[in-house]
Amino acid sequence: MLNYLWAAMIAIGIVYGVFSGNMGAVTNGALDSAKEAISLCLNMCGVMALWMGLMEIAGTSGLIEKLTEKINPFVSFLFPRIPKNHPSREAISTNIIANILGLGWAATPAGLKAMEELSKLEEERGNPGYQKEKGKNSVRIASNEMCVFLIINISSLQLIPVNMIAYRSQYGSVAPTAVIAPGLMATFITTLVAIVFCKIMDRARR
């Protein structure tokens, strides 16, 4: 759907440029945007390398393990039916910690690992494939834990919005870190709403 949307926007822009006599501006805009995209990618690669390196150091030093232990009560509150020693808990904790630190790149592998382990958990519970038949086709149904994890991951409480700071710095913001307080407030509210929603839906589902 997004592919069609972007294609339509580009086509409309080109057609408007032709009929309004601004085709030169459209061409220059396209070339300038391509140049900015490459520059932004290089800038973000540097930021990503820095924070991924710090995340690796934190993991090697045992800091991630200690933080995982600290948020175990929170994970147990969100996922009361996941066994305490199940591998998915560690992956979920790592994902939450990475998101809080604004390291979306580091959070993604942990999130995929968590989903994989949650899938295995469903098989251990006797729900292989957790599928329901619908006519001739089988429909894949996400488990309750998967839904909760996805919503919490999307709400993404962040103390340091690294991506946004990098974007603001790239485009010449006078105070790129000024977004920290508003970002923290916004993500705190979205995470709180997500937790309340998950608990209400979990109770209704049961």
Side-chain angles (χ1 to χ4, degrees):
M1 183 61 186
L2 286 177
N3 290 338
Y4 293 115
L5 179 62
W6 283 109
M9 291 174 64
I10 293 172
I12 291 171
I14 293 174
V15 172
Y16 179 80
V18 171
F19 284 98
S20 63
N22 293 317
M23 195 59 196
V26 173
T27 303
N28 291 333
L31 295 175
D32 290 341
S33 297
K35 180 181 178 181
E36 287 185 11
I38 297 298
S39 177
L40 180 61
C41 285
L42 292 175
N43 184 55
M44 294 306 295
C45 281
V47 174
M48 180 176 67
L50 171 63
W51 285 99
M52 290 291 285
L54 291 175
M55 195 71 176
E56 187 67 25
I57 293 172
T60 304
S61 65
L63 178 60
I64 297 298
E65 184 178 352
K66 291 181 180 178
L67 291 175
T68 299
E69 293 177 359
K70 294 292 184 182
I71 69 170
N72 257 335
F74 177 67
V75 174
S76 297
F77 171 73
L78 289 176
F79 307 95
R81 291 189 292 279
I82 295 181
K84 288 187 176 181
N85 296 323
H86 197 270
S88 62
R89 293 175 68 92
E90 181 179 353
I92 291 172
S93 298
T94 302
N95 176 269
I96 292 174
I97 292 169
N99 273 325
I100 289 176
L101 297 177
L103 307 178
W105 302 290
T108 300
L112 295 175
K113 179 65 175 178
M115 283 295 189
E116 181 181 344
E117 294 297 337
L118 289 174
S119 177
K120 293 179 181 178
L121 178 61
E122 286 303 299
E123 294 180 2
E124 293 170 6
R125 289 172 172 172
N127 301 319
Y130 37 92
Q131 296 180 342
K132 291 184 178 179
E133 294 297 327
K134 185 177 181 180
K136 295 182 180 180
N137 301 319
S138 60
V139 181
R140 199 169 183 85
I141 305 297
S143 67
N144 184 68
E145 286 81 6
M146 286 180 170
C147 294
V148 172
F149 175 67
L150 181 62
I151 293 174
I152 296 299
N153 188 60
I154 293 173
S155 66
S156 185
L157 174 64
Q158 290 189 6
L159 296 177
I160 309 172
V162 177
N163 291 352
M164 188 60 65
I165 292 173
Y167 292 145
R168 287 167 61 86
S169 177
Q170 172 70 18
Y171 289 106
S173 173
V174 177
T177 57
V179 74
I180 291 179
L184 177 60
M185 183 179 299
T187 54
F188 174 79
I189 293 173
T190 56
T191 301
L192 181 61
V193 171
I195 292 173
V196 173
F197 173 79
C198 288
K199 288 299 179 181
I200 292 174
M201 293 304 296
D202 183 31
R203 180 170 296 181
R205 192 172 186 179
R206 284 188 288 174

